[in-house]
Amino acid sequence: HNFCHKHKRAFDNLRLLLYIMSTIRPFQMTDLFKFNNVNLDVLTETYNMSFYLSYLSQWPEAFTVAEAPNNNYKDRSSSSSSPSLMGYMLGKSEGTGKGWHGH
């Protein structure tokens, strides 16, 4: 009985962690329609759609998003029940040889 109780408690703790943890995943083209709440921050640089698409097509491995777990950070402007984006990061690499770098 004690063994079963310990496993139930461990499972409950795991469920809580999954509930509160964010997800980092590759950016998808449809995310362009989901990140208005992030770009409204005054410290976030905003670009036109073709800029984001060019980065996504050239450096997809350097373009990621952070999703809120279970709608804990729901975008108030959206009626979607899917998780909302809390942030995104885009990067690129350029140059050749010793001049190769990323940012």
Side-chain angles (χ1 to χ4, degrees):
H1 183 265
N2 192 24
F3 179 77
C4 213
H5 180 69
K6 285 182 182 177
H7 277 81
K8 182 185 180 317
R9 190 173 43 191
F11 181 72
D12 289 342
N13 288 341
L14 179 60
R15 268 196 349 211
L16 178 62
L17 281 174
L18 291 174
Y19 177 77
I20 60 174
M21 294 174 61
S22 300
T23 302
I24 306 296
R25 64 166 176 77
F27 194 91
Q28 301 168 355
M29 282 184 29
T30 55
D31 291 329
L32 287 170
F33 305 109
K34 299 178 186 175
F35 66 14
N36 285 340
N37 60 320
V38 176
N39 281 350
L40 291 176
D41 181 305
V42 296
L43 300 176
T44 301
E45 293 183 68
T46 304
Y47 305 98
N48 60 38
M49 197 171 280
S50 64
F51 178 87
Y52 293 107
L53 291 173
S54 71
Y55 269 64
L56 183 60
S57 66
Q58 294 177 48
W59 305 282
E61 68 283 351
F63 206 161
T64 58
V65 297
E67 277 185 327
N70 299 323
N71 287 334
N72 287 340
Y73 189 83
K74 183 137 175 60
D75 179 358
R76 304 290 182 237
S77 67
S78 171
S79 61
S80 171
S81 63
S82 62
S84 67
L85 303 184
M86 299 182 333
Y88 62 92
M89 181 179 71
L90 60 121
K92 70 177 185 177
S93 60
E94 58 190 5
T96 58
K98 290 187 178 204
W100 181 85
H101 63 283
H103 53 98

